[in-house]
Structures are given as C-alpha cells and as structure tokens.
Amino acid sequence: MANELHNYPRPVHFNNREDKEGPRILRRRVDKENQTFSFFKVKPLNPIIGAEIEGVDLSKPLSTPLREELNEALLEWKVIFFRNQAITSEQQIAFAKNFGELEVHPFYNAPTGRAKEVIQFNRNKVQKGFENIWHSDVSFREQPAKAAILRLMKVPPVGGDTLWADMGAAYDNLPDTIKERIDTLQALHDFTPSFSHLMSPEELLKWQKEFSAVTHPIVRTHPETGRKLLFVNPSFTTRIIGLDEKESEELLQFLFRQTHIPEYQVRFHWEPNSIAFWDNRATQHYAVSDYYPYERLAERVTIAGDRPY
Ligand SMILES: [Fe+2]
C-alpha cells in the first residue's frame, strides 16, 4: 500500500507551484532603505513592515523636520505604531492634517460631538466586528485614501489585533508569468459587496449613482517611492476588465491570497491609547474579529489620496 501511494503521479508543474517554499524577496523600500532617524527611535516588529516609534508626543504640534522624518518612516515601514498616546479626537485630527487633507467617509457617520472626518468603530456584545476581511480602505473611490490613523480607546482583555500586509512584497514575489499578465490590466472596485448591508434598497441605489464602480490598475505605482504595488482586495475588487467571469475570478482569488503569506504581514496587539498610522496605498489590513462579546472602541481619521496609476 505504501509503495502504491509513493508511486502516485506528481503534478507535471510540481516545481513551479505558486505556493512553493523557499526564499522570498523581502525589501522594505526599493528606492532607499535603512534610513536613520534623529527625532525618534524605530523598533521594528518585522523585517519589512511595521515598526513602533518611540519618543514622539502626538499631542504636540509637529515641527517640519519631525513631520518629514515621520513621513519617511511611514514610507519605509508602511505602518508605524505609537503607544501611550492619550490624545483627544481634536489632537488626532491635528496630527493627521500634517500629512494631507482629510476625507469624510461616505457611509460612516461621525459620532455625536465629533468632527465629520471621524469614524468610530464601536464593537461590543450588540455589534460584532466585521472588518475581518483584507482590504485597502475606500478603494472603491476614484481617489482612494492615502493613509489612515486609528486610535484605540477601549481594548478587549485578549484578541482584537489588526494585521497589515505589504503589497510591495506581495507584488515582488509574484511569478513572472503573472506579473506580465497583470501589469497592464485594470480591475473594478465597488463598495456594494461590503457596504450594501448597511443600506435600504433605496439608499443603495442612491449611493450606487454617486459612487459608481471605478477601475484601478491591478498594479499601481507608489507616488512617493515609485514602488510597484499589488492593488486588488477581496472587500471591494469585483472583476478584472477584459477577462471572462471565470478567468477573472480565478486570477483575483490567486491575487487575494497573496496577503495571507506571513512574511508580508505584521500583526499588532493593541493597548488603550495605541495608535496605528498606515500607508493605505502600500498595504492592506485585516481587523481580527475574535473578541466578542468584549468591547473594542476605536476612532479613525483618514487622509485623502490621489488616483492610482
Ligand atoms: Fe479598514
């Protein structure tokens, strides 16, 4: 019996399997790397993505050189974290405005007493977390967000982590045949699969008129680093333009799976007053929904981006 199994034919392309083990291309940044920072300490959580920043007080206005260094740290590490920042909602907004104009989310209303740019995620025994799908925020917009800043106010006793994946690493490691295939393709992004459950049928029609599906390149170029990034996500990307439905779905599912590769990920464990600041162009994220019925309270402000190319 054992011999028979041993002789079971192996697939012809066994040596070209997409999920082959072995070395991966792991670069933090392609234009420059290993920058030194003079205003703060960088504590990496992973070799390529995610670092804690120590020695910055986010309640205070930023000097121009500090702001520029933080931007460089964000570009290099893609998501940077701060601990013990007991700041107000207004201070969070003021910090975010150092990096660009803020956007207002079309479907999330700001909580009472907060500026319109604030989104609150209040998850508890009534409302379970539903952000546990890989995504880049608002990729259904013509100009998806550049970056976002999330502040945790209440943290469950265990669980409630967030993961980010480096979409530059995801692109770098694709087989050449796939890179050639997707380099000039566009995909459709649509809010409907992820947000329609929050709307009545009438509201859905109204919003679909205002935010009709948009196309973005599957491979976008980072406007600040020039890096090629894989830019499709299972939350909003519905279809590849020019491919039939089956072909589109197979290719999308393969591309979506790239975020699952642990070498491209960082997982952050929150404490009250932890803050994450991520580059939404270069990453995708996934909020682990494992803490029900405990409470997890967070507020996000989002920095507007430009049209992917
Ligand atoms: Fe998100």
Side-chain angles (χ1 to χ4, degrees), residues 6-40:
H6 193 70
N7 290 332
Y8 205 82
R10 293 182 180 90
V12 177
H13 297 296
F14 190 74
N15 292 325
N16 295 320
R17 284 169 73 151
E18 61 190 40
D19 53 354
K20 210 162 68 166
E21 75 218 311
R24 299 190 190 275
I25 304 161
L26 298 173
R27 303 180 293 177
R28 271 213 294 286
R29 198 168 157 171
V30 291
D31 52 338
K32 49 178 146 174
E33 204 164 342
N34 294 319
Q35 302 178 87
T36 51
F37 300 101
S38 52
F39 291 97
F40 46 79

PDB file of all heavy atoms in Angstrom, residues 6-40:
ATOM      1  N   HIS A   6       3.313   5.944  -2.874  1.00  0.00           N
ATOM      2  CA  HIS A   6       4.552   6.626  -3.237  1.00  0.00           C
ATOM      3  C   HIS A   6       4.648   6.819  -4.752  1.00  0.00           C
ATOM      4  O   HIS A   6       5.232   7.786  -5.237  1.00  0.00           O
ATOM      5  CB  HIS A   6       5.744   5.826  -2.718  1.00  0.00           C
ATOM      6  CG  HIS A   6       7.017   6.609  -2.764  1.00  0.00           C
ATOM      7  ND1 HIS A   6       7.235   7.675  -1.925  1.00  0.00           N
ATOM      8  CD2 HIS A   6       8.114   6.520  -3.560  1.00  0.00           C
ATOM      9  CE1 HIS A   6       8.420   8.200  -2.192  1.00  0.00           C
ATOM     10  NE2 HIS A   6       8.973   7.511  -3.194  1.00  0.00           N
ATOM     11  N   ASN A   7       4.032   5.893  -5.485  1.00  0.00           N
ATOM     12  CA  ASN A   7       4.102   5.973  -6.950  1.00  0.00           C
ATOM     13  C   ASN A   7       2.979   6.807  -7.555  1.00  0.00           C
ATOM     14  O   ASN A   7       2.881   6.926  -8.772  1.00  0.00           O
ATOM     15  CB  ASN A   7       4.064   4.557  -7.546  1.00  0.00           C
ATOM     16  CG  ASN A   7       5.360   3.836  -7.232  1.00  0.00           C
ATOM     17  OD1 ASN A   7       6.398   4.467  -7.067  1.00  0.00           O
ATOM     18  ND2 ASN A   7       5.289   2.519  -7.117  1.00  0.00           N
ATOM     19  N   TYR A   8       2.135   7.358  -6.707  1.00  0.00           N
ATOM     20  CA  TYR A   8       1.027   8.178  -7.208  1.00  0.00           C
ATOM     21  C   TYR A   8       1.609   9.344  -8.014  1.00  0.00           C
ATOM     22  O   TYR A   8       2.546  10.008  -7.556  1.00  0.00           O
ATOM     23  CB  TYR A   8       0.218   8.719  -6.013  1.00  0.00           C
ATOM     24  CG  TYR A   8      -1.214   9.032  -6.358  1.00  0.00           C
ATOM     25  CD1 TYR A   8      -2.174   8.021  -6.388  1.00  0.00           C
ATOM     26  CD2 TYR A   8      -1.595  10.334  -6.662  1.00  0.00           C
ATOM     27  CE1 TYR A   8      -3.477   8.299  -6.717  1.00  0.00           C
ATOM     28  CE2 TYR A   8      -2.900  10.614  -6.997  1.00  0.00           C
ATOM     29  CZ  TYR A   8      -3.850   9.598  -7.023  1.00  0.00           C
ATOM     30  OH  TYR A   8      -5.143   9.881  -7.351  1.00  0.00           O
ATOM     31  N   PRO A   9       1.134   9.598  -9.240  1.00  0.00           N
ATOM     32  CA  PRO A   9       1.810  10.605 -10.088  1.00  0.00           C
ATOM     33  C   PRO A   9       1.814  12.009  -9.484  1.00  0.00           C
ATOM     34  O   PRO A   9       0.792  12.462  -8.977  1.00  0.00           O
ATOM     35  CB  PRO A   9       1.014  10.577 -11.398  1.00  0.00           C
ATOM     36  CG  PRO A   9      -0.226   9.818 -11.115  1.00  0.00           C
ATOM     37  CD  PRO A   9      -0.007   8.979  -9.905  1.00  0.00           C
ATOM     38  N   ARG A  10       2.961  12.640  -9.543  1.00  0.00           N
ATOM     39  CA  ARG A  10       3.052  14.034  -9.061  1.00  0.00           C
ATOM     40  C   ARG A  10       2.602  14.971 -10.175  1.00  0.00           C
ATOM     41  O   ARG A  10       2.728  14.623 -11.353  1.00  0.00           O
ATOM     42  CB  ARG A  10       4.494  14.354  -8.680  1.00  0.00           C
ATOM     43  CG  ARG A  10       4.962  13.581  -7.472  1.00  0.00           C
ATOM     44  CD  ARG A  10       6.384  13.955  -7.080  1.00  0.00           C
ATOM     45  NE  ARG A  10       6.787  13.184  -5.912  1.00  0.00           N
ATOM     46  CZ  ARG A  10       7.371  12.000  -5.992  1.00  0.00           C
ATOM     47  NH1 ARG A  10       7.620  11.456  -7.160  1.00  0.00           N
ATOM     48  NH2 ARG A  10       7.690  11.350  -4.889  1.00  0.00           N
ATOM     49  N   PRO A  11       2.092  16.144  -9.818  1.00  0.00           N
ATOM     50  CA  PRO A  11       1.670  17.062 -10.887  1.00  0.00           C
ATOM     51  C   PRO A  11       2.859  17.438 -11.766  1.00  0.00           C
ATOM     52  O   PRO A  11       3.985  17.547 -11.269  1.00  0.00           O
ATOM     53  CB  PRO A  11       1.167  18.304 -10.141  1.00  0.00           C
ATOM     54  CG  PRO A  11       1.148  17.956  -8.707  1.00  0.00           C
ATOM     55  CD  PRO A  11       1.915  16.713  -8.485  1.00  0.00           C
ATOM     56  N   VAL A  12       2.586  17.640 -13.044  1.00  0.00           N
ATOM     57  CA  VAL A  12       3.648  17.972 -14.011  1.00  0.00           C
ATOM     58  C   VAL A  12       4.388  19.228 -13.564  1.00  0.00           C
ATOM     59  O   VAL A  12       5.597  19.338 -13.641  1.00  0.00           O
ATOM     60  CB  VAL A  12       3.027  18.186 -15.416  1.00  0.00           C
ATOM     61  CG1 VAL A  12       4.098  18.608 -16.415  1.00  0.00           C
ATOM     62  CG2 VAL A  12       2.331  16.909 -15.873  1.00  0.00           C
ATOM     63  N   HIS A  13       3.614  20.218 -13.051  1.00  0.00           N
ATOM     64  CA  HIS A  13       4.232  21.507 -12.721  1.00  0.00           C
ATOM     65  C   HIS A  13       4.633  21.592 -11.257  1.00  0.00           C
ATOM     66  O   HIS A  13       4.711  22.663 -10.685  1.00  0.00           O
ATOM     67  CB  HIS A  13       3.271  22.648 -13.077  1.00  0.00           C
ATOM     68  CG  HIS A  13       2.999  22.696 -14.532  1.00  0.00           C
ATOM     69  ND1 HIS A  13       3.975  22.968 -15.452  1.00  0.00           N
ATOM     70  CD2 HIS A  13       1.868  22.457 -15.241  1.00  0.00           C
ATOM     71  CE1 HIS A  13       3.459  22.919 -16.663  1.00  0.00           C
ATOM     72  NE2 HIS A  13       2.181  22.600 -16.559  1.00  0.00           N
ATOM     73  N   PHE A  14       4.929  20.421 -10.659  1.00  0.00           N
ATOM     74  CA  PHE A  14       5.246  20.378  -9.232  1.00  0.00           C
ATOM     75  C   PHE A  14       6.308  21.415  -8.845  1.00  0.00           C
ATOM     76  O   PHE A  14       6.213  22.071  -7.821  1.00  0.00           O
ATOM     77  CB  PHE A  14       5.730  18.972  -8.867  1.00  0.00           C
ATOM     78  CG  PHE A  14       5.864  18.754  -7.392  1.00  0.00           C
ATOM     79  CD1 PHE A  14       4.731  18.600  -6.610  1.00  0.00           C
ATOM     80  CD2 PHE A  14       7.102  18.733  -6.780  1.00  0.00           C
ATOM     81  CE1 PHE A  14       4.841  18.405  -5.248  1.00  0.00           C
ATOM     82  CE2 PHE A  14       7.209  18.543  -5.415  1.00  0.00           C
ATOM     83  CZ  PHE A  14       6.080  18.376  -4.648  1.00  0.00           C
ATOM     84  N   ASN A  15       7.304  21.588  -9.716  1.00  0.00           N
ATOM     85  CA  ASN A  15       8.396  22.504  -9.382  1.00  0.00           C
ATOM     86  C   ASN A  15       8.064  23.961  -9.641  1.00  0.00           C
ATOM     87  O   ASN A  15       8.842  24.846  -9.324  1.00  0.00           O
ATOM     88  CB  ASN A  15       9.662  22.113 -10.146  1.00  0.00           C
ATOM     89  CG  ASN A  15      10.190  20.793  -9.635  1.00  0.00           C
ATOM     90  OD1 ASN A  15      10.096  20.506  -8.435  1.00  0.00           O
ATOM     91  ND2 ASN A  15      10.714  19.967 -10.530  1.00  0.00           N
ATOM     92  N   ASN A  16       6.909  24.220 -10.230  1.00  0.00           N
ATOM     93  CA  ASN A  16       6.514  25.613 -10.486  1.00  0.00           C
ATOM     94  C   ASN A  16       5.313  26.019  -9.656  1.00  0.00           C
ATOM     95  O   ASN A  16       4.620  26.976  -9.976  1.00  0.00           O
ATOM     96  CB  ASN A  16       6.188  25.796 -11.973  1.00  0.00           C
ATOM     97  CG  ASN A  16       7.414  25.581 -12.821  1.00  0.00           C
ATOM     98  OD1 ASN A  16       8.500  26.009 -12.447  1.00  0.00           O
ATOM     99  ND2 ASN A  16       7.258  24.892 -13.928  1.00  0.00           N
ATOM    100  N   ARG A  17       5.041  25.260  -8.615  1.00  0.00           N
ATOM    101  CA  ARG A  17       3.844  25.570  -7.832  1.00  0.00           C
ATOM    102  C   ARG A  17       3.922  26.962  -7.240  1.00  0.00           C
ATOM    103  O   ARG A  17       4.973  27.378  -6.759  1.00  0.00           O
ATOM    104  CB  ARG A  17       3.680  24.549  -6.704  1.00  0.00           C
ATOM    105  CG  ARG A  17       3.170  23.228  -7.214  1.00  0.00           C
ATOM    106  CD  ARG A  17       3.277  22.188  -6.161  1.00  0.00           C
ATOM    107  NE  ARG A  17       2.273  22.409  -5.139  1.00  0.00           N
ATOM    108  CZ  ARG A  17       1.748  21.423  -4.417  1.00  0.00           C
ATOM    109  NH1 ARG A  17       2.109  20.190  -4.619  1.00  0.00           N
ATOM    110  NH2 ARG A  17       0.857  21.692  -3.499  1.00  0.00           N
ATOM    111  N   GLU A  18       2.804  27.653  -7.269  1.00  0.00           N
ATOM    112  CA  GLU A  18       2.783  29.042  -6.788  1.00  0.00           C
ATOM    113  C   GLU A  18       3.020  29.133  -5.290  1.00  0.00           C
ATOM    114  O   GLU A  18       3.466  30.137  -4.777  1.00  0.00           O
ATOM    115  CB  GLU A  18       1.454  29.701  -7.154  1.00  0.00           C
ATOM    116  CG  GLU A  18       0.273  29.011  -6.522  1.00  0.00           C
ATOM    117  CD  GLU A  18      -1.061  29.502  -7.056  1.00  0.00           C
ATOM    118  OE1 GLU A  18      -1.162  29.726  -8.265  1.00  0.00           O
ATOM    119  OE2 GLU A  18      -1.976  29.664  -6.256  1.00  0.00           O
ATOM    120  N   ASP A  19       2.723  28.032  -4.558  1.00  0.00           N
ATOM    121  CA  ASP A  19       2.877  28.098  -3.106  1.00  0.00           C
ATOM    122  C   ASP A  19       4.159  27.403  -2.651  1.00  0.00           C
ATOM    123  O   ASP A  19       4.223  26.831  -1.582  1.00  0.00           O
ATOM    124  CB  ASP A  19       1.651  27.497  -2.407  1.00  0.00           C
ATOM    125  CG  ASP A  19       1.329  26.096  -2.889  1.00  0.00           C
ATOM    126  OD1 ASP A  19       1.996  25.634  -3.843  1.00  0.00           O
ATOM    127  OD2 ASP A  19       0.429  25.468  -2.312  1.00  0.00           O
ATOM    128  N   LYS A  20       5.170  27.449  -3.508  1.00  0.00           N
ATOM    129  CA  LYS A  20       6.439  26.809  -3.204  1.00  0.00           C
ATOM    130  C   LYS A  20       7.118  27.484  -2.001  1.00  0.00           C
ATOM    131  O   LYS A  20       7.093  28.690  -1.875  1.00  0.00           O
ATOM    132  CB  LYS A  20       7.336  26.897  -4.437  1.00  0.00           C
ATOM    133  CG  LYS A  20       8.302  25.753  -4.558  1.00  0.00           C
ATOM    134  CD  LYS A  20       8.850  25.633  -5.967  1.00  0.00           C
ATOM    135  CE  LYS A  20       9.750  26.802  -6.326  1.00  0.00           C
ATOM    136  NZ  LYS A  20      10.533  26.526  -7.526  1.00  0.00           N
ATOM    137  N   GLU A  21       7.759  26.651  -1.177  1.00  0.00           N
ATOM    138  CA  GLU A  21       8.514  27.197  -0.049  1.00  0.00           C
ATOM    139  C   GLU A  21       9.839  27.787  -0.548  1.00  0.00           C
ATOM    140  O   GLU A  21      10.193  27.605  -1.708  1.00  0.00           O
ATOM    141  CB  GLU A  21       8.818  26.073   0.942  1.00  0.00           C
ATOM    142  CG  GLU A  21       9.945  25.152   0.440  1.00  0.00           C
ATOM    143  CD  GLU A  21       9.734  23.698   0.759  1.00  0.00           C
ATOM    144  OE1 GLU A  21       9.438  23.390   1.907  1.00  0.00           O
ATOM    145  OE2 GLU A  21       9.856  22.874  -0.165  1.00  0.00           O
ATOM    146  N   GLY A  22      10.564  28.408   0.365  1.00  0.00           N
ATOM    147  CA  GLY A  22      11.899  28.885  -0.004  1.00  0.00           C
ATOM    148  C   GLY A  22      12.023  30.376   0.161  1.00  0.00           C
ATOM    149  O   GLY A  22      11.129  31.028   0.682  1.00  0.00           O
ATOM    150  N   PRO A  23      13.164  30.900  -0.286  1.00  0.00           N
ATOM    151  CA  PRO A  23      13.406  32.326  -0.056  1.00  0.00           C
ATOM    152  C   PRO A  23      12.388  33.204  -0.762  1.00  0.00           C
ATOM    153  O   PRO A  23      11.889  32.855  -1.821  1.00  0.00           O
ATOM    154  CB  PRO A  23      14.800  32.556  -0.659  1.00  0.00           C
ATOM    155  CG  PRO A  23      15.274  31.264  -1.169  1.00  0.00           C
ATOM    156  CD  PRO A  23      14.197  30.248  -1.055  1.00  0.00           C
ATOM    157  N   ARG A  24      12.076  34.336  -0.147  1.00  0.00           N
ATOM    158  CA  ARG A  24      11.200  35.306  -0.789  1.00  0.00           C
ATOM    159  C   ARG A  24      11.972  36.623  -0.919  1.00  0.00           C
ATOM    160  O   ARG A  24      12.917  36.858  -0.174  1.00  0.00           O
ATOM    161  CB  ARG A  24       9.947  35.536   0.064  1.00  0.00           C
ATOM    162  CG  ARG A  24       9.132  34.269   0.251  1.00  0.00           C
ATOM    163  CD  ARG A  24       7.783  34.573   0.875  1.00  0.00           C
ATOM    164  NE  ARG A  24       7.092  33.359   1.280  1.00  0.00           N
ATOM    165  CZ  ARG A  24       6.329  32.616   0.480  1.00  0.00           C
ATOM    166  NH1 ARG A  24       6.168  32.959  -0.770  1.00  0.00           N
ATOM    167  NH2 ARG A  24       5.744  31.528   0.933  1.00  0.00           N
ATOM    168  N   ILE A  25      11.518  37.434  -1.846  1.00  0.00           N
ATOM    169  CA  ILE A  25      12.148  38.761  -1.998  1.00  0.00           C
ATOM    170  C   ILE A  25      11.534  39.646  -0.915  1.00  0.00           C
ATOM    171  O   ILE A  25      10.329  39.894  -0.931  1.00  0.00           O
ATOM    172  CB  ILE A  25      11.843  39.357  -3.395  1.00  0.00           C
ATOM    173  CG1 ILE A  25      12.288  38.399  -4.499  1.00  0.00           C
ATOM    174  CG2 ILE A  25      12.480  40.738  -3.549  1.00  0.00           C
ATOM    175  CD1 ILE A  25      11.625  38.691  -5.845  1.00  0.00           C
ATOM    176  N   LEU A  26      12.345  40.089   0.029  1.00  0.00           N
ATOM    177  CA  LEU A  26      11.806  40.884   1.140  1.00  0.00           C
ATOM    178  C   LEU A  26      12.584  42.193   1.243  1.00  0.00           C
ATOM    179  O   LEU A  26      13.685  42.238   1.782  1.00  0.00           O
ATOM    180  CB  LEU A  26      11.879  40.086   2.442  1.00  0.00           C
ATOM    181  CG  LEU A  26      11.043  38.792   2.448  1.00  0.00           C
ATOM    182  CD1 LEU A  26      11.306  37.978   3.700  1.00  0.00           C
ATOM    183  CD2 LEU A  26       9.549  39.089   2.305  1.00  0.00           C
ATOM    184  N   ARG A  27      12.002  43.226   0.660  1.00  0.00           N
ATOM    185  CA  ARG A  27      12.639  44.553   0.678  1.00  0.00           C
ATOM    186  C   ARG A  27      11.706  45.513   1.376  1.00  0.00           C
ATOM    187  O   ARG A  27      10.513  45.511   1.148  1.00  0.00           O
ATOM    188  CB  ARG A  27      12.879  45.027  -0.756  1.00  0.00           C
ATOM    189  CG  ARG A  27      13.717  44.063  -1.571  1.00  0.00           C
ATOM    190  CD  ARG A  27      13.932  44.570  -2.973  1.00  0.00           C
ATOM    191  NE  ARG A  27      12.709  44.611  -3.758  1.00  0.00           N
ATOM    192  CZ  ARG A  27      12.634  45.080  -5.009  1.00  0.00           C
ATOM    193  NH1 ARG A  27      13.705  45.571  -5.599  1.00  0.00           N
ATOM    194  NH2 ARG A  27      11.489  45.090  -5.660  1.00  0.00           N
ATOM    195  N   ARG A  28      12.284  46.358   2.226  1.00  0.00           N
ATOM    196  CA  ARG A  28      11.435  47.347   2.921  1.00  0.00           C
ATOM    197  C   ARG A  28      11.039  48.461   1.991  1.00  0.00           C
ATOM    198  O   ARG A  28       9.937  48.967   2.022  1.00  0.00           O
ATOM    199  CB  ARG A  28      12.212  47.947   4.084  1.00  0.00           C
ATOM    200  CG  ARG A  28      12.069  47.201   5.373  1.00  0.00           C
ATOM    201  CD  ARG A  28      12.118  48.109   6.566  1.00  0.00           C
ATOM    202  NE  ARG A  28      13.391  48.761   6.766  1.00  0.00           N
ATOM    203  CZ  ARG A  28      14.473  48.173   7.211  1.00  0.00           C
ATOM    204  NH1 ARG A  28      14.465  46.891   7.479  1.00  0.00           N
ATOM    205  NH2 ARG A  28      15.573  48.849   7.403  1.00  0.00           N
ATOM    206  N   ARG A  29      12.002  48.881   1.201  1.00  0.00           N
ATOM    207  CA  ARG A  29      11.763  50.005   0.307  1.00  0.00           C
ATOM    208  C   ARG A  29      12.695  49.801  -0.882  1.00  0.00           C
ATOM    209  O   ARG A  29      13.785  49.253  -0.712  1.00  0.00           O
ATOM    210  CB  ARG A  29      12.087  51.304   1.064  1.00  0.00           C
ATOM    211  CG  ARG A  29      11.487  52.531   0.444  1.00  0.00           C
ATOM    212  CD  ARG A  29      11.568  53.744   1.357  1.00  0.00           C
ATOM    213  NE  ARG A  29      11.498  54.935   0.496  1.00  0.00           N
ATOM    214  CZ  ARG A  29      11.372  56.162   0.936  1.00  0.00           C
ATOM    215  NH1 ARG A  29      11.319  56.409   2.239  1.00  0.00           N
ATOM    216  NH2 ARG A  29      11.312  57.180   0.099  1.00  0.00           N
ATOM    217  N   VAL A  30      12.309  50.207  -2.065  1.00  0.00           N
ATOM    218  CA  VAL A  30      13.155  49.923  -3.228  1.00  0.00           C
ATOM    219  C   VAL A  30      14.057  51.097  -3.593  1.00  0.00           C
ATOM    220  O   VAL A  30      15.088  50.917  -4.220  1.00  0.00           O
ATOM    221  CB  VAL A  30      12.320  49.485  -4.462  1.00  0.00           C
ATOM    222  CG1 VAL A  30      11.713  48.127  -4.221  1.00  0.00           C
ATOM    223  CG2 VAL A  30      11.231  50.500  -4.801  1.00  0.00           C
ATOM    224  N   ASP A  31      13.669  52.319  -3.234  1.00  0.00           N
ATOM    225  CA  ASP A  31      14.490  53.473  -3.622  1.00  0.00           C
ATOM    226  C   ASP A  31      15.545  53.797  -2.572  1.00  0.00           C
ATOM    227  O   ASP A  31      16.638  54.221  -2.868  1.00  0.00           O
ATOM    228  CB  ASP A  31      13.602  54.699  -3.906  1.00  0.00           C
ATOM    229  CG  ASP A  31      12.630  55.002  -2.773  1.00  0.00           C
ATOM    230  OD1 ASP A  31      12.327  54.084  -1.977  1.00  0.00           O
ATOM    231  OD2 ASP A  31      12.180  56.147  -2.671  1.00  0.00           O
ATOM    232  N   LYS A  32      15.200  53.595  -1.298  1.00  0.00           N
ATOM    233  CA  LYS A  32      16.191  53.729  -0.221  1.00  0.00           C
ATOM    234  C   LYS A  32      15.767  52.858   0.945  1.00  0.00           C
ATOM    235  O   LYS A  32      14.600  52.508   1.080  1.00  0.00           O
ATOM    236  CB  LYS A  32      16.384  55.179   0.206  1.00  0.00           C
ATOM    237  CG  LYS A  32      15.116  55.948   0.474  1.00  0.00           C
ATOM    238  CD  LYS A  32      15.453  57.356   0.935  1.00  0.00           C
ATOM    239  CE  LYS A  32      14.427  58.365   0.458  1.00  0.00           C
ATOM    240  NZ  LYS A  32      14.614  59.693   0.983  1.00  0.00           N
ATOM    241  N   GLU A  33      16.709  52.512   1.760  1.00  0.00           N
ATOM    242  CA  GLU A  33      16.414  51.609   2.870  1.00  0.00           C
ATOM    243  C   GLU A  33      17.371  51.931   4.010  1.00  0.00           C
ATOM    244  O   GLU A  33      18.392  52.564   3.806  1.00  0.00           O
ATOM    245  CB  GLU A  33      16.613  50.163   2.407  1.00  0.00           C
ATOM    246  CG  GLU A  33      15.809  49.185   3.219  1.00  0.00           C
ATOM    247  CD  GLU A  33      15.690  47.817   2.548  1.00  0.00           C
ATOM    248  OE1 GLU A  33      15.927  47.718   1.338  1.00  0.00           O
ATOM    249  OE2 GLU A  33      15.363  46.880   3.244  1.00  0.00           O
ATOM    250  N   ASN A  34      17.044  51.460   5.194  1.00  0.00           N
ATOM    251  CA  ASN A  34      17.908  51.665   6.362  1.00  0.00           C
ATOM    252  C   ASN A  34      18.185  53.134   6.630  1.00  0.00           C
ATOM    253  O   ASN A  34      19.320  53.534   6.873  1.00  0.00           O
ATOM    254  CB  ASN A  34      19.244  50.932   6.193  1.00  0.00           C
ATOM    255  CG  ASN A  34      19.037  49.438   6.166  1.00  0.00           C
ATOM    256  OD1 ASN A  34      18.238  48.907   6.939  1.00  0.00           O
ATOM    257  ND2 ASN A  34      19.731  48.775   5.279  1.00  0.00           N
ATOM    258  N   GLN A  35      17.153  53.949   6.561  1.00  0.00           N
ATOM    259  CA  GLN A  35      17.344  55.359   6.884  1.00  0.00           C
ATOM    260  C   GLN A  35      17.608  55.494   8.385  1.00  0.00           C
ATOM    261  O   GLN A  35      17.128  54.702   9.172  1.00  0.00           O
ATOM    262  CB  GLN A  35      16.074  56.142   6.558  1.00  0.00           C
ATOM    263  CG  GLN A  35      15.647  56.036   5.116  1.00  0.00           C
ATOM    264  CD  GLN A  35      14.355  56.786   4.870  1.00  0.00           C
ATOM    265  OE1 GLN A  35      14.365  57.964   4.595  1.00  0.00           O
ATOM    266  NE2 GLN A  35      13.239  56.105   5.005  1.00  0.00           N
ATOM    267  N   THR A  36      18.333  56.550   8.736  1.00  0.00           N
ATOM    268  CA  THR A  36      18.487  56.826  10.168  1.00  0.00           C
ATOM    269  C   THR A  36      17.578  58.002  10.517  1.00  0.00           C
ATOM    270  O   THR A  36      17.379  58.909   9.702  1.00  0.00           O
ATOM    271  CB  THR A  36      19.945  57.169  10.528  1.00  0.00           C
ATOM    272  OG1 THR A  36      20.381  58.185   9.639  1.00  0.00           O
ATOM    273  CG2 THR A  36      20.855  55.958  10.421  1.00  0.00           C
ATOM    274  N   PHE A  37      17.036  57.942  11.698  1.00  0.00           N
ATOM    275  CA  PHE A  37      16.087  58.964  12.140  1.00  0.00           C
ATOM    276  C   PHE A  37      16.635  59.634  13.394  1.00  0.00           C
ATOM    277  O   PHE A  37      17.119  58.963  14.293  1.00  0.00           O
ATOM    278  CB  PHE A  37      14.721  58.327  12.404  1.00  0.00           C
ATOM    279  CG  PHE A  37      14.138  57.669  11.189  1.00  0.00           C
ATOM    280  CD1 PHE A  37      14.197  56.287  11.010  1.00  0.00           C
ATOM    281  CD2 PHE A  37      13.552  58.431  10.188  1.00  0.00           C
ATOM    282  CE1 PHE A  37      13.668  55.689   9.867  1.00  0.00           C
ATOM    283  CE2 PHE A  37      13.023  57.839   9.042  1.00  0.00           C
ATOM    284  CZ  PHE A  37      13.083  56.466   8.888  1.00  0.00           C
ATOM    285  N   SER A  38      16.555  60.953  13.429  1.00  0.00           N
ATOM    286  CA  SER A  38      17.180  61.647  14.561  1.00  0.00           C
ATOM    287  C   SER A  38      16.173  62.069  15.631  1.00  0.00           C
ATOM    288  O   SER A  38      16.547  62.333  16.758  1.00  0.00           O
ATOM    289  CB  SER A  38      17.947  62.872  14.057  1.00  0.00           C
ATOM    290  OG  SER A  38      17.115  63.661  13.245  1.00  0.00           O
ATOM    291  N   PHE A  39      14.865  62.103  15.265  1.00  0.00           N
ATOM    292  CA  PHE A  39      13.877  62.613  16.226  1.00  0.00           C
ATOM    293  C   PHE A  39      13.210  61.530  17.060  1.00  0.00           C
ATOM    294  O   PHE A  39      12.484  61.832  17.996  1.00  0.00           O
ATOM    295  CB  PHE A  39      12.788  63.412  15.498  1.00  0.00           C
ATOM    296  CG  PHE A  39      13.282  64.702  14.937  1.00  0.00           C
ATOM    297  CD1 PHE A  39      13.665  64.800  13.615  1.00  0.00           C
ATOM    298  CD2 PHE A  39      13.396  65.832  15.749  1.00  0.00           C
ATOM    299  CE1 PHE A  39      14.135  65.992  13.098  1.00  0.00           C
ATOM    300  CE2 PHE A  39      13.853  67.025  15.233  1.00  0.00           C
ATOM    301  CZ  PHE A  39      14.228  67.105  13.902  1.00  0.00           C
ATOM    302  N   PHE A  40      13.385  60.277  16.680  1.00  0.00           N
ATOM    303  CA  PHE A  40      12.705  59.191  17.404  1.00  0.00           C
ATOM    304  C   PHE A  40      13.455  57.877  17.190  1.00  0.00           C
ATOM    305  O   PHE A  40      14.315  57.763  16.317  1.00  0.00           O
ATOM    306  CB  PHE A  40      11.254  59.059  16.944  1.00  0.00           C
ATOM    307  CG  PHE A  40      11.072  59.092  15.445  1.00  0.00           C
ATOM    308  CD1 PHE A  40      11.333  57.970  14.670  1.00  0.00           C
ATOM    309  CD2 PHE A  40      10.655  60.259  14.801  1.00  0.00           C
ATOM    310  CE1 PHE A  40      11.171  57.998  13.297  1.00  0.00           C
ATOM    311  CE2 PHE A  40      10.496  60.291  13.415  1.00  0.00           C
ATOM    312  CZ  PHE A  40      10.759  59.161  12.665  1.00  0.00           C
TER     313      PHE A  40
END
